Amino acid sequence: MPVNERYKILFEPVKIGPVTAKNRFYQVPHAMGAGNDMPNTRAAQRGIKAEGGWGVVNTGYCSIHPSSDDRPLPFARLWSDRDIDSHVPMVEAVHAHDALAGIEFFHGGAYTPNRHTRMTPISPSGIQEKTSEIETMSLQAPKVMDKKDIKDLKQWHIDATKRAMKAGFDIIYCYAGMGFLPYHFLHPLFNTRTDEYGGSLQNRSRLLKEIITDMKEIAGNKAAIAVRISTDELLEFKSESSQTEAHELFELIGELPDLWDIKVSEWVKETPSGRFSEPGFMEPYYSFVKELTSKPVVGVGWFTSPDIMVAQINNGTLDLVGSARASIADPFLPKKIEEGREDDIKECIGCNICASCYNQGIPVRCTQNPSMGEEWRRGWHPEIMKPKTSEESILVIGGGPAGLEATLSLARRGYEVTLADDHKELGGRINKESILPGMSSYRRVTDYRTNQIQQLPNVNVFLENELQSKDVLGLGFDHVVTATGSSWELSILDEHFVPQPIEKQEDVFTPDDFMDSKLQSPVVIYDFDYYYMGGLIAEYLSDLGHEVTIITPFENVSPWSFMSNEVNAIKAKMYEKNIKTITEYRISEFKNESLTLTHKITKEIMDVDRKSLVIVGMRLPVDSLFKELSANQSLLEDSGIKTLNNIGDSNSPGAVFHAVYAGHMYANTFDSGIDDDPYDFKFEYPVIQ
Ligand code: ADP
Ligand code: SF4
């Protein structure tokens, strides 16, 4: 099918200094967790996006000098000529598909603690950002940069530019955002210098101006020089000569680089989850820029669909549509739009599992796209599955994320697949969770897969079909896989913080049954799950008008959500919705209409009133069907079942991305047995010097 008329504008080429992007799809720099340690992984991750039609594909943040060492976070580097080679495979992989390759330099200044290199952090005025215990990056105050340090910093940008050119990059960034060094020079609170690099904005922007000028001289007519800048704080600072300091800055140096890439000053603010943001949420930070420069402008803002992307171009605020998450969830998004197949797009759900990988220092993974990060080590491709190896049939039991992904991927391999679920609708846990506040985008996990499955002739779906072991044995399938999910256990933590099951009581519920119940205020939620469920239920019940208290033994509600950039937003929601939060306590005694709590550390005791209690604790696999079937091997053999597997939550309860990955893994491996081999993937090997 041809490209839809209204999306044609996305396929117009854009000139960026001396180079030209073939279209407006711009994968902005974002970490993928590979860094220089995994050059093959990095090349395959980025190359697949170029193959999928992105006109520009950038690296993640790449340090230009050992005094900008962000270990253990996964940054790339160009510290010496010996680092050049590790970037070449990525550049070649991107160029192979006619896309431009960009590299995002950064010098972290006060922001990088140099844990490994042990070099003294440097900054314009020796001021450190103090936002939290964890985010306070260094115990060591940064050194105030003298003239030699400034000269060195400029030289490091020059040296790194030469190296990036040797590696073949088409776009080279100077990073003046996110608390990094050139940004702190711009910032009136972090730059209190009294020399020609401090004071007026003209002086504070001097260093950036000099760096861009130097880099442009090296890049000549071969590569474009881009600047990534955070505008949110500058927009708050008053200017004597212009609307704000942000406006003044563009008036001063707006024409200097070849491209402006606009972002905000904090990672959590820039990448909030879909639960707490809407597409286009960054518009206030970039909408004024195009009026002040003739250079192309790129910005991000969780643009997941072509309509949202086109709107940014048509409203005259952006020239290039910046994407990180949309390109992770569906590396083939541009190709699908180009081929008029926008219904086939795997739309990002905004869960921020990808962001959590950066925070954990590991290669990126994605809920919607199970092949992300596996392109090189397992040879997985987001669009192409290896063909079937036999004419055998498969029964998938359970239509949640695991069963749906297994069904779709098996069918794409060409197998005849039958999917059975005991509910009226496919979707499993997603059907319940997506009605909770801010979670509707999770439906995209099931909507995408059910929509694709419906178009395939080799899938039969049987709903409202609760299968027992005798049914399964009589159906004549060659392979059976159970993806029957999990259930929440009614348990509380003992004094050793080990969950102990408790008897079902009339006024005590779990996430499985609280919605169908008549809860009475005050409701207490006892949450010792790490992830989102406790906070979501608290919000849901508060929205219904209940008086809600949430108790958790952890320091925060939903503490793992720190990884997905959500923990502070959850805290704010509890506050906004008047939900009382009691942290670091466990329930030690049930009383009539109250609970006794004991503090985790001090053992202090307190009582809390409640009528209803919802316990959000452990989940247990729903695996009785699998266990019954696997208990009698001879019955299995007699019925002709060659393999029996159990995947997803019924094997090991986890997050949605675990279940999707399990479904994909099964579809790839059930006929080869290689999932039994723990070394079924390639490793990157360091070079011995
Ligand atoms: P996962 O996240 O592992 O995909 P879910 O809990 O989301 O797990 O989905 C499991 C699905 O399997 C649910 O819809 C559940 O009702 C269904 N299911 C469980 N047992 C059976 C069974 N015996 N027959 C058919 N469907 C089942
Ligand atoms: Fe989107 Fe979640 Fe995938 Fe990240 S992990 S790209 S937020 S679907």
Side-chain angles (χ1 to χ4, degrees):
M1 270 192 289
V3 56
N4 187 318
E5 260 321 299
R6 67 176 190 280
Y7 304 143
K8 273 196 171 157
I9 196 167
L10 295 170
F11 294 90
E12 290 172 354
V14 179
K15 206 166 158 6
I16 307 172
V19 297
T20 301
K22 66 178 173 182
N23 59 34
R24 298 182 191 267
F25 294 97
Y26 191 101
Q27 182 246 276
V28 288
H30 68 86
M32 292 275 261
N36 278 37
D37 297 342
M38 300 185 194
N40 298 292
T41 303
R42 176 171 58 193
Q45 282 171 332
R46 306 279 180 189
I48 214 92
K49 298 193 194 189
E51 187 186 337
W54 295 85
V56 178
V57 178
N58 284 287
T59 62
Y61 67 153
C62 175
S63 172
I64 56 167
H65 190 261
S67 58
S68 174
D69 158 34
D70 213 11
R71 272 195 181 218
L73 291 170
F75 63 99
R77 60 165 208 251
L78 257 184
W79 290 349
S80 79
D81 287 354
R82 294 197 61 185
D83 281 329
I84 296 171
D85 283 354
S86 96
H87 289 274
V88 172
M90 176 201 145
V91 173
E92 287 176 349
V94 170
H95 284 172
H97 300 284
D98 207 17
L100 299 177
I103 183 163
E104 183 193 39
F105 288 174
F106 92 107
H107 194 295
Y111 210 81
T112 39
N114 303 337
R115 294 182 186 93
H116 184 217
T117 62
R118 302 187 70 174
M119 295 182 81
T120 307
I122 49 175
S123 76
S125 304
I127 303 167
Q128 218 176 7
E129 251 170 296
K130 302 265 185 198
T131 47
S132 80
E133 299 82 355
I134 297 170
E135 287 158 20
T136 300
M137 292 294 168
S138 178
L139 293 175
Q140 192 179 10
K143 181 199 166 205
V144 179
M145 289 169 75
D146 58 23
K147 288 286 160 55
K148 181 176 177 306
D149 294 321
I150 290 178
K151 201 167 153 229
D152 286 347
L153 179 69
K154 285 163 53 184
Q155 189 59 43
W156 301 335
H157 278 90
I158 292 172
D159 295 343
T161 305
K162 287 180 184 161
R163 291 180 190 128
M165 305 277 298
K166 277 199 191 134
F169 284 103
D170 311 288
I171 301 175
I172 305 171
Y173 270 72
C174 171
Y175 203 151
M178 212 75 139
F180 295 154
L181 193 42
Y183 179 67
H184 270 183
F185 267 88
L186 292 176
H187 201 296
L189 304 180
F190 288 96
N191 180 350
T192 55
R193 299 175 75 94
T194 51
D195 61 4
E196 69 272 32
Y197 291 100
S200 66
L201 185 58
Q202 181 136 23
N203 279 357
R204 282 182 273 129
S205 61
R206 188 180 307 277
L207 177 65
L208 179 58
K209 196 171 156 184
E210 290 173 355
I211 291 173
I212 302 169
T213 309
D214 288 347
M215 288 173 72
K216 283 204 75 164
E217 204 177 307
I218 307 294
N221 60 4
K222 291 226 164 58
I225 300 301
V227 174
R228 195 164 219 205
I229 190 150
S230 301
T231 56
D232 54 328
E233 292 181 311
L234 295 177
L235 279 165
E236 288 173 12
F237 297 127
K238 286 203 180 80
S239 156
E240 281 176 16
S241 62
S242 190
Q243 215 171 314
T244 68
E245 286 218 337
H247 292 77
E248 189 187 338
L249 182 72
F250 285 97
E251 283 158 14
L252 286 168
I253 59 166
E255 292 304 306
L256 211 52
D258 297 310
L259 174 130
W260 285 102
D261 180 338
I262 313 297
K263 57 157 24 193
V264 291
S265 57
E266 274 176 66
W267 160 229
V268 170
K269 195 169 166 189
E270 183 190 51
T271 314
S273 70
R275 183 176 161 191
F276 300 108
S277 61
E278 293 292 329
F281 66 95
M282 297 270 286
E283 202 173 318
Y285 311 116
Y286 57 70
S287 58
F288 68 100
V289 177
K290 264 183 73 63
E291 287 168 18
L292 301 170
T293 176
S294 66
K295 303 295 168 152
V297 178
V298 60
V300 291
W302 199 36
F303 309 132
T304 60
S305 75
D307 289 304
I308 301 166
M309 293 177 170
V310 165
Q312 310 307 309
I313 308 296
N314 285 341
N315 69 16
T317 53
L318 295 179
D319 298 291
L320 294 143
V321 189
S323 288
R325 288 177 289 182
S327 71
I328 295 171
D330 197 338
F332 276 64
L333 179 143
K335 273 251 157 84
K336 288 176 183 173
I337 300 172
E338 194 172 22
E339 292 166 3
R341 296 195 294 124
E342 45 276 1
D343 287 349
D344 292 342
I345 291 171
K346 247 185 290 199
E347 208 172 338
C348 166
I349 69 167
C351 60
N352 273 1
I353 287 302
C354 51
S356 80
C357 298
Y358 168 75
N359 288 333
Q360 296 168 87
I362 51 170
V364 77
R365 56 189 66 167
C366 170
T367 300
Q368 276 287 56
N369 175 9
S371 68
M372 182 46 68
E374 307 293 343
E375 299 85 352
W376 178 76
R377 71 172 184 176
R378 288 192 195 277
W380 288 0
H381 188 285
E383 299 298 308
I384 305 166
M385 302 288 300
K386 61 184 174 189
K388 64 182 177 182
T389 55
S390 74
E391 295 304 319
E392 289 167 354
S393 59
I394 304 133
L395 171 65
V396 179
I397 307 168
L404 280 171
E405 175 61 28
T407 302
L408 176 59
S409 293
L410 287 165
R412 283 184 172 163
R413 292 191 62 191
Y415 283 107
E416 286 294 325
V417 193
T418 298
L419 171 62
D421 193 277
D422 53 5
H423 283 74
K424 272 194 187 137
E425 205 191 336
L426 291 171
R429 63 184 285 188
I430 298 288
N431 294 338
K432 284 185 186 167
E433 293 179 18
S434 61
I435 62 169
L436 296 170
M439 295 292 280
S440 59
S441 56
Y442 277 58
R443 277 212 75 87
R444 294 172 187 170
V445 173
T446 46
D447 288 351
Y448 166 74
R449 288 169 177 80
T450 44
N451 176 32
Q452 295 291 307
I453 284 169
Q454 273 162 16
Q455 297 170 41
L456 294 169
N458 49 336
V459 181
N460 287 305
V461 178
F462 293 95
L463 294 172
E464 297 183 89
N465 226 294
E466 185 178 347
L467 293 176
Q468 311 293 333
S469 54
K470 63 177 184 337
D471 306 324
V472 178
L473 292 170
L475 286 171
F477 287 95
D478 298 304
H479 304 275
V480 174
V481 57
T482 51
T484 43
S486 61
S487 62
W488 291 87
E489 189 189 34
L490 211 50
S491 60
I492 59 169
L493 297 174
D494 67 13
E495 65 272 32
H496 305 292
F497 288 82
V498 176
Q500 300 297 345
I502 58 166
E503 292 282 305
K504 172 76 187 147
Q505 300 163 36
E506 240 180 38
D507 48 7
V508 182
F509 307 92
T510 71
D512 287 328
D513 58 8
F514 81 97
M515 272 186 203
D516 316 324
S517 322
K518 265 225 137 335
L519 291 153
Q520 284 187 8
S521 287
V523 183
V524 167
I525 296 164
Y526 181 35
D527 175 20
F528 53 93
D529 175 46
Y530 290 100
Y531 205 13
Y532 50 61
M533 203 49 147
L536 280 170
I537 294 175
E539 272 195 64
Y540 177 83
L541 294 176
S542 165
D543 290 349
L544 289 180
H546 283 290
E547 184 189 333
V548 183
T549 299
I550 183 162
I551 299 163
T552 172
F554 308 122
E555 284 172 31
N556 285 303
V557 173
S558 311
W560 194 89
S561 305
F562 168 79
M563 298 293 178
S564 51
N565 289 352
E566 292 173 295
V567 80
N568 285 342
I570 292 171
K571 200 178 271 184
K573 272 282 175 226
M574 299 299 110
Y575 180 75
E576 179 194 316
K577 295 195 172 173
N578 223 4
I579 297 159
K580 190 171 170 206
T581 302
I582 301 176
T583 58
E584 300 191 74
Y585 277 87
R586 69 177 182 88
I587 295 178
S588 44
E589 203 185 333
F590 283 81
K591 291 184 183 153
N592 198 17
E593 301 212 344
S594 75
L595 298 161
T596 300
L597 311 182
T598 303
H599 191 272
K600 190 164 86 173
I601 298 159
T602 64
K603 311 295 176 207
E604 185 193 343
I605 280 177
M606 71 156 117
D607 279 356
V608 174
D609 290 341
R610 60 102 191 185
K611 283 239 164 68
S612 301
L613 171 67
V614 183
I615 299 179
V616 186
M618 301 284 290
R619 280 190 293 148
L620 299 176
V622 173
D623 57 1
S624 52
L625 179 58
F626 173 76
K627 281 184 173 158
E628 273 175 44
L629 287 167
S630 50
N632 199 331
Q633 283 302 318
S634 60
L635 272 182
L636 273 185
E637 275 162 32
D638 293 349
S639 67
I641 295 174
K642 298 184 176 76
T643 67
L644 169 70
N645 283 274
N646 184 27
I647 60 169
D649 291 334
S650 52
N651 184 42
S652 153
V656 177
F657 78 91
H658 291 115
V660 173
Y661 184 74
H664 200 76
M665 176 68 85
Y666 171 78
N668 264 293
T669 54
F670 85 100
D671 52 354
S672 61
I674 57 172
D675 57 331
D676 297 335
D677 176 357
Y679 301 119
D680 156 43
F681 51 81
K682 291 188 279 186
F683 294 93
E684 307 249 12
Y685 287 100
V687 178
I688 310 296
Q689 298 172 30

